[in-house]
Coordinates of all heavy atoms in Angstrom, one line a residue:
R1 N 0.8 -1.2 0.0 CA 0.0 0.0 0.0 C 0.9 1.3 0.0 O 0.5 2.3 -0.6 CB -0.9 0.0 1.2 CG -2.1 -1.0 1.0 CD -2.7 -1.4 2.4 NE -3.1 -0.3 3.2 CZ -3.3 -0.4 4.5 NH1 -3.1 -1.5 5.1 NH2 -3.8 0.7 5.2
A2 N 2.0 1.2 0.7 CA 2.9 2.4 0.7 C 3.5 2.6 -0.7 O 3.6 3.8 -1.1 CB 4.0 2.2 1.7
Y3 N 3.9 1.6 -1.4 CA 4.4 1.7 -2.7 C 3.3 2.4 -3.7 O 3.6 3.2 -4.5 CB 4.8 0.4 -3.3 CG 6.2 -0.1 -2.8 CD1 6.3 -1.2 -2.0 CD2 7.4 0.7 -3.0 CE1 7.5 -1.6 -1.5 CE2 8.6 0.2 -2.5 CZ 8.7 -0.9 -1.8 OH 9.9 -1.3 -1.3
I4 N 2.1 1.9 -3.5 CA 1.0 2.5 -4.4 C 0.7 3.9 -4.0 O 0.4 4.7 -4.8 CB -0.2 1.5 -4.3 CG1 0.1 0.2 -4.9 CG2 -1.4 2.2 -5.0 CD1 -1.0 -0.8 -4.9
A5 N 0.8 4.2 -2.7 CA 0.7 5.6 -2.3 C 1.8 6.5 -3.0 O 1.5 7.6 -3.4 CB 0.8 5.8 -0.8
M6 N 3.0 6.0 -3.1 CA 4.1 6.7 -3.8 C 3.7 7.0 -5.2 O 3.9 8.1 -5.8 CB 5.4 5.9 -3.7 CG 6.5 6.5 -4.5 SD 8.0 5.4 -4.6 CE 7.4 4.0 -5.5
V7 N 3.1 5.9 -5.9 CA 2.7 6.1 -7.3 C 1.6 7.1 -7.4 O 1.6 8.0 -8.3 CB 2.3 4.7 -7.8 CG1 1.6 4.9 -9.2 CG2 3.4 3.8 -8.0
L8 N 0.6 7.1 -6.5 CA -0.5 8.1 -6.6 C 0.0 9.5 -6.3 O -0.6 10.4 -6.8 CB -1.6 7.7 -5.6 CG -2.4 6.4 -6.0 CD1 -3.6 6.2 -5.0 CD2 -3.0 6.5 -7.4
A9 N 1.0 9.6 -5.4 CA 1.5 10.9 -5.1 C 2.2 11.6 -6.4 O 2.3 12.8 -6.4 CB 2.5 10.9 -4.0
Q10 N 2.6 10.7 -7.3 CA 3.2 11.2 -8.5 C 2.1 12.0 -9.3 O 2.5 12.8 -10.2 CB 3.8 10.1 -9.3 CG 4.7 10.5 -10.4 CD 5.5 9.3 -11.0 OE1 5.7 8.3 -10.3 NE2 5.8 9.4 -12.3
D11 N 0.8 11.7 -9.1 CA -0.3 12.5 -9.6 C -0.2 12.6 -11.1 O -0.3 13.7 -11.7 CB -0.3 13.9 -9.0 CG -1.6 14.6 -9.2 OD1 -2.6 14.0 -9.4 OD2 -1.6 15.9 -9.3
T12 N -0.1 11.4 -11.8 CA -0.2 11.4 -13.2 C -1.6 10.9 -13.7 O -2.3 10.3 -12.9 CB 0.9 10.3 -13.7 OG1 0.6 9.0 -13.1 CG2 2.2 10.8 -13.4
D13 N -1.9 11.2 -15.0 CA -3.2 10.8 -15.5 C -3.2 9.3 -15.7 O -4.3 8.7 -15.7 CB -3.4 11.5 -16.8 CG -3.7 13.0 -16.6 OD1 -4.2 13.4 -15.5 OD2 -3.5 13.8 -17.6
Y14 N -2.0 8.7 -16.0 CA -1.9 7.3 -16.3 C -1.1 6.6 -15.2 O -0.1 7.0 -14.8 CB -1.3 7.0 -17.6 CG -2.0 7.7 -18.8 CD1 -1.8 9.0 -19.2 CD2 -3.0 6.9 -19.5 CE1 -2.5 9.6 -20.2 CE2 -3.7 7.5 -20.6 CZ -3.5 8.8 -20.9 OH -4.1 9.4 -21.9
V15 N -1.7 5.4 -14.7 CA -1.1 4.7 -13.6 C -1.0 3.2 -14.1 O -2.0 2.6 -14.4 CB -1.9 4.8 -12.3 CG1 -1.2 3.9 -11.2 CG2 -2.0 6.2 -11.9
L16 N 0.2 2.6 -14.1 CA 0.4 1.3 -14.5 C 0.9 0.5 -13.3 O 1.9 0.8 -12.7 CB 1.4 1.2 -15.6 CG 1.3 2.2 -16.8 CD1 2.4 2.0 -17.8 CD2 -0.1 2.0 -17.4
L17 N 0.2 -0.6 -12.9 CA 0.6 -1.4 -11.8 C 0.7 -2.9 -12.1 O -0.3 -3.5 -12.6 CB -0.6 -1.3 -10.7 CG -0.9 0.2 -10.2 CD1 -2.1 0.2 -9.3 CD2 0.3 0.8 -9.5
D18 N 1.9 -3.4 -11.8 CA 2.1 -4.8 -12.1 C 1.9 -5.7 -10.9 O 2.6 -5.6 -9.9 CB 3.6 -5.0 -12.6 CG 3.8 -6.4 -13.2 OD1 2.9 -7.2 -13.2 OD2 4.9 -6.7 -13.7
E19 N 0.8 -6.4 -10.8 CA 0.4 -7.3 -9.7 C 0.3 -6.5 -8.4 O 1.0 -6.7 -7.4 CB 1.4 -8.4 -9.5 CG 1.2 -9.6 -10.5 CD -0.1 -10.3 -10.3 OE1 -0.6 -10.4 -9.2 OE2 -0.7 -10.6 -11.3
P20 N -0.6 -5.5 -8.4 CA -0.7 -4.6 -7.1 C -1.3 -5.4 -6.0 O -1.2 -4.9 -4.8 CB -1.7 -3.5 -7.6 CG -2.5 -4.2 -8.7 CD -1.5 -5.1 -9.4
L21 N -1.8 -6.6 -6.2 CA -2.4 -7.4 -5.1 C -1.3 -8.3 -4.4 O -1.7 -9.1 -3.5 CB -3.6 -8.2 -5.5 CG -4.7 -7.4 -6.2 CD1 -5.9 -8.3 -6.6 CD2 -5.1 -6.2 -5.4
N22 N -0.1 -8.2 -4.8 CA 1.0 -9.0 -4.2 C 1.0 -8.8 -2.7 O 0.9 -7.7 -2.2 CB 2.3 -8.6 -4.8 CG 2.7 -9.5 -6.0 OD1 2.0 -10.4 -6.4 ND2 3.9 -9.1 -6.6
N23 N 1.1 -9.9 -1.9 CA 1.2 -9.8 -0.5 C 0.0 -9.4 0.2 O 0.0 -9.1 1.4 CB 2.4 -8.9 -0.1 CG 3.7 -9.4 -0.6 OD1 4.1 -10.5 -0.5 ND2 4.5 -8.5 -1.2
L24 N -1.2 -9.3 -0.5 CA -2.4 -8.8 0.1 C -3.3 -10.0 0.3 O -3.5 -10.8 -0.6 CB -3.1 -7.8 -0.7 CG -2.3 -6.5 -1.0 CD1 -3.2 -5.5 -1.8 CD2 -1.9 -5.8 0.3
D25 N -3.9 -10.1 1.5 CA -4.9 -11.1 1.7 C -6.2 -10.7 1.0 O -6.3 -9.7 0.4 CB -5.2 -11.4 3.2 CG -5.6 -10.1 4.0 OD1 -6.2 -9.2 3.3 OD2 -5.4 -10.1 5.2
M26 N -7.3 -11.6 1.1 CA -8.5 -11.3 0.4 C -9.1 -10.0 0.8 O -9.6 -9.2 -0.1 CB -9.5 -12.5 0.6 CG -9.1 -13.8 -0.1 SD -10.4 -15.0 0.1 CE -10.3 -15.4 1.8
K27 N -9.2 -9.7 2.1 CA -9.8 -8.5 2.6 C -9.1 -7.3 2.0 O -9.7 -6.3 1.5 CB -9.8 -8.4 4.1 CG -10.3 -7.2 4.7 CD -10.3 -7.2 6.2 CE -10.8 -5.8 6.8 NZ -10.7 -5.8 8.3
H28 N -7.8 -7.3 2.1 CA -7.0 -6.1 1.7 C -6.9 -6.0 0.1 O -6.8 -5.0 -0.4 CB -5.6 -6.1 2.3 CG -5.6 -5.7 3.8 ND1 -5.6 -6.7 4.7 CD2 -5.8 -4.5 4.4 CE1 -5.7 -6.1 5.9 NE2 -5.8 -4.8 5.7
S29 N -7.0 -7.2 -0.5 CA -7.1 -7.2 -2.0 C -8.4 -6.5 -2.5 O -8.3 -5.7 -3.4 CB -7.0 -8.6 -2.5 OG -5.7 -9.2 -2.3
A30 N -9.5 -6.9 -1.8 CA -10.8 -6.2 -2.2 C -10.7 -4.7 -1.9 O -11.2 -3.9 -2.7 CB -11.9 -6.9 -1.4
A31 N -10.1 -4.4 -0.7 CA -10.0 -2.9 -0.4 C -9.1 -2.2 -1.4 O -9.4 -1.1 -1.8 CB -9.4 -2.8 1.0
M32 N -8.0 -2.8 -1.8 CA -7.1 -2.2 -2.8 C -7.9 -2.0 -4.1 O -7.8 -0.9 -4.7 CB -5.9 -3.1 -3.0 CG -5.0 -2.5 -4.1 SD -4.2 -0.9 -3.6 CE -3.2 -1.4 -2.3
M33 N -8.6 -3.0 -4.6 CA -9.3 -2.9 -5.9 C -10.4 -1.8 -5.7 O -10.7 -1.0 -6.7 CB -9.9 -4.2 -6.3 CG -8.9 -5.3 -6.7 SD -7.8 -4.7 -8.0 CE -9.0 -4.5 -9.4
T34 N -11.1 -1.7 -4.6 CA -12.1 -0.7 -4.4 C -11.4 0.7 -4.4 O -12.0 1.7 -5.0 CB -12.8 -0.9 -3.0 OG1 -13.4 -2.1 -3.0 CG2 -13.8 0.2 -2.8
M35 N -10.2 0.9 -3.8 CA -9.5 2.1 -3.8 C -9.1 2.5 -5.3 O -9.3 3.7 -5.7 CB -8.3 2.1 -3.0 CG -7.5 3.3 -2.8 SD -6.4 3.7 -4.2 CE -5.3 2.2 -4.0
L36 N -8.6 1.5 -6.1 CA -8.2 1.8 -7.4 C -9.5 2.2 -8.3 O -9.4 3.0 -9.2 CB -7.5 0.6 -8.0 CG -6.1 0.3 -7.4 CD1 -5.6 -1.0 -7.9 CD2 -5.1 1.5 -7.5
R37 N -10.6 1.5 -8.0 CA -11.8 1.8 -8.7 C -12.2 3.3 -8.4 O -12.6 4.0 -9.3 CB -12.9 0.9 -8.3 CG -14.3 1.0 -8.9 CD -14.3 0.5 -10.3 NE -14.3 1.7 -11.2 CZ -14.2 1.6 -12.6 NH1 -14.1 0.4 -13.1 NH2 -14.3 2.6 -13.3
R38 N -12.1 3.7 -7.2 CA -12.4 5.0 -6.8 C -11.5 6.1 -7.5 O -11.9 7.2 -7.8 CB -12.3 5.2 -5.3 CG -13.5 4.7 -4.5 CD -13.3 4.8 -3.0 NE -12.6 6.0 -2.6 CZ -11.6 6.0 -1.7 NH1 -11.2 4.9 -1.1 NH2 -11.0 7.1 -1.3
A39 N -10.2 5.7 -7.6 CA -9.2 6.6 -8.2 C -9.6 6.8 -9.7 O -9.4 7.9 -10.2 CB -7.8 6.0 -8.1
V40 N -10.2 5.9 -10.3 CA -10.7 6.0 -11.7 C -12.0 6.9 -11.7 O -12.1 7.9 -12.5 CB -11.0 4.7 -12.3 CG1 -11.7 4.8 -13.7 CG2 -9.7 3.9 -12.6
D41 N -12.9 6.5 -10.9 CA -14.2 7.2 -10.9 C -14.2 8.6 -10.3 O -14.8 9.5 -10.8 CB -15.2 6.4 -10.1 CG -15.5 5.0 -10.7 OD1 -15.3 4.9 -11.9 OD2 -15.9 4.1 -10.0
D42 N -13.4 8.8 -9.2 CA -13.4 10.1 -8.5 C -12.3 11.0 -9.0 O -12.5 12.3 -9.0 CB -13.2 9.9 -7.0 CG -14.4 9.1 -6.4 OD1 -15.4 9.0 -7.1 OD2 -14.2 8.6 -5.3
L43 N -11.2 10.5 -9.4 CA -10.0 11.3 -9.8 C -9.7 11.3 -11.3 O -8.8 12.0 -11.7 CB -8.8 10.8 -9.0 CG -8.8 10.7 -7.5 CD1 -7.5 10.2 -6.9 CD2 -9.2 12.0 -6.9

C-alpha cells in the first residue's frame, strides 16, 4: 500500500501497476481494488 501511495503521489493521468495485489490477503485485495476503482471514478 505504501508503494502504491508513492505512485498516486506522482499525480499522473496514467497509472500502471504490475500485480498490485501481491502480499495482500482477500480483505485487503478487495479494499485495494475498491480504492483503485475510486481513483478512476473520482480522480
